[in-house]
Amino acid sequence: MSMPDPARSPDPLDAVAVEAERLQAELDESRPPHAGPLSQMAAALAGLGAGIFGAAGSYALGLGSLTQPGPGLWPFAISVVIVVLSATLVAAGRRLEDAERFSKASLLTLVALVTLVLLAALLPVIGFEIPSLLLMFVWLRWLGKESWLSSIVISVCTVAAFYVLFVLLLQVPLPRLI
């Protein structure tokens, strides 16, 4: 019985390594150019400002105690995490190269932000059903590039599930039409 020649048999790990290198090269080609240290610093400072604003706002709501948490406790905790991570990014941001330049694709983030602000503005006026339905639809159809049918079906089913869960089962006092 003869042993197989190791020089002739392909090593599956070599094939995996070659495929990983090919995928990495493809990813590097499709990646937008780096934005530079100034953009990295601006993003870090924006996050720091948002975290400080959130911490101040949630503190004003009242933190309560650990045994009887107030309405601002969890938003305050999240805001503190945002502040710490943003401060770390401010300290290390000049050496990092992972920020991307703004492009047409960056406008999708702006669309998402505007729709969230509209949701917050419309929620107390007309309830959560219509704004939530519109938010889900816009995010699925235009941000997620889903088909019209799946955007409609998923939006309606999601808002209906939220209604059943939060309004009927948990009896959360959300502003609503129905």
Side-chain angles (χ1 to χ4, degrees):
M1 180 171 180
S2 66
M3 298 294 288
D5 184 11
R8 288 186 165 182
S9 64
D11 186 6
L13 292 178
D14 286 340
V16 169
V18 168
E19 180 66 11
E21 288 176 18
R22 186 190 67 77
L23 288 173
Q24 184 63 44
E26 186 178 309
L27 180 66
D28 289 341
E29 286 177 16
S30 65
R31 183 174 286 166
H34 297 297
L38 184 61
S39 295
Q40 188 87 1
M41 199 58 86
L45 290 173
L48 187 64
I52 291 169
F53 179 77
S58 58
Y59 184 79
L61 290 173
L63 300 180
S65 66
L66 290 178
T67 56
Q68 292 186 333
L73 181 64
W74 288 114
F76 183 79
I78 298 298
S79 296
V80 167
V81 169
I82 291 171
V83 166
V84 168
L85 292 175
S86 295
T88 304
L89 190 56
V90 166
R94 292 182 191 172
R95 296 181 303 274
L96 300 175
E97 294 183 356
D98 58 346
E100 298 172 355
R101 269 195 202 139
F102 283 101
S103 65
K104 284 180 110 175
S106 303
L107 293 177
L108 295 177
T109 305
L110 181 62
V111 170
L113 180 64
V114 167
T115 55
L116 278 175
V117 169
L118 286 172
L119 173 78
L122 292 174
L123 199 72
V125 177
I126 60 174
F128 89 95
E129 297 94 339
I130 293 172
S132 299
L133 187 69
L134 291 173
L135 177 82
M136 287 290 301
F137 180 77
V138 166
W139 281 21
L140 287 167
R141 179 68 188 121
W142 286 288
L143 301 182
K145 309 267 190 272
E146 295 291 332
S147 70
W148 284 92
L149 180 62
S150 67
S151 297
I152 292 169
V153 170
I154 293 170
S155 298
V156 169
C157 289
T158 302
V159 172
F162 284 173
Y163 185 87
V164 168
L165 177 66
F166 291 110
V167 174
L168 300 179
L169 296 177
L170 297 175
Q171 297 180 349
V172 175
L174 292 173
R176 57 186 194 270
L177 290 174
I178 303 172

